[in-house]
Amino acid sequence: MFTIDLTLKYMSMPLSVQRKEAEGAEATYQEIITAMRSKEPQLLELSCDRQTEKKIAVFSDRISAVMISEKSSTASSGRSPGFFSMAEEEVVKGEG
């Protein structure tokens, strides 16, 4: 399962949708990036593969970041995926 997280301007919590396949996650990521690069704001409507009733709509000019992460069944750290948690793990490993 792949999660696409959208960080919006002036909002501390990301919005997330999930895709079952890597290809679907990459296509959604590219759709969002293309909309972000557009000079005109676009309304993006996204749905979730895991919770099919979950839908979000957001204007592209409100998105400040987008990230894809893969949910691993072996992840036991309890941390959410992202750049911050990856950097934190590297510091901890470097100390020990």
Side-chain angles (χ1 to χ4, degrees):
M1 189 65 68
F2 295 84
T3 301
I4 299 100
D5 293 312
L6 299 174
T7 303
L8 303 181
K9 296 174 184 174
Y10 314 112
M11 190 171 166
S12 59
M13 295 289 296
L15 299 176
S16 301
V17 294
Q18 294 179 319
R19 296 287 177 259
K20 293 178 183 176
E21 304 292 330
E23 295 82 19
E26 183 63 31
T28 300
Y29 176 82
Q30 290 302 324
E31 175 187 3
I32 294 165
I33 293 297
T34 300
M36 289 173 70
R37 288 183 176 144
S38 175
K39 294 182 189 235
E40 295 295 318
Q42 299 177 24
L43 182 64
L44 292 170
E45 297 180 72
L46 304 170
S47 60
C48 188
D49 284 357
R50 184 173 184 196
Q51 298 172 321
T52 55
E53 70 282 355
K54 181 179 179 180
K55 298 177 183 181
I56 60 172
V58 63
F59 280 107
S60 59
D61 64 341
R62 301 289 187 229
I63 302 170
S64 59
V66 61
M67 181 179 75
I68 296 176
S69 58
E70 183 176 6
K71 182 177 180 181
S72 172
S73 60
T74 60
S76 61
S77 66
R79 296 183 190 150
S80 60
F83 296 110
F84 180 74
S85 63
M86 287 174 33
E88 185 179 296
E89 288 176 15
E90 288 176 11
V91 169
V92 172
K93 288 179 184 175
E95 291 177 357

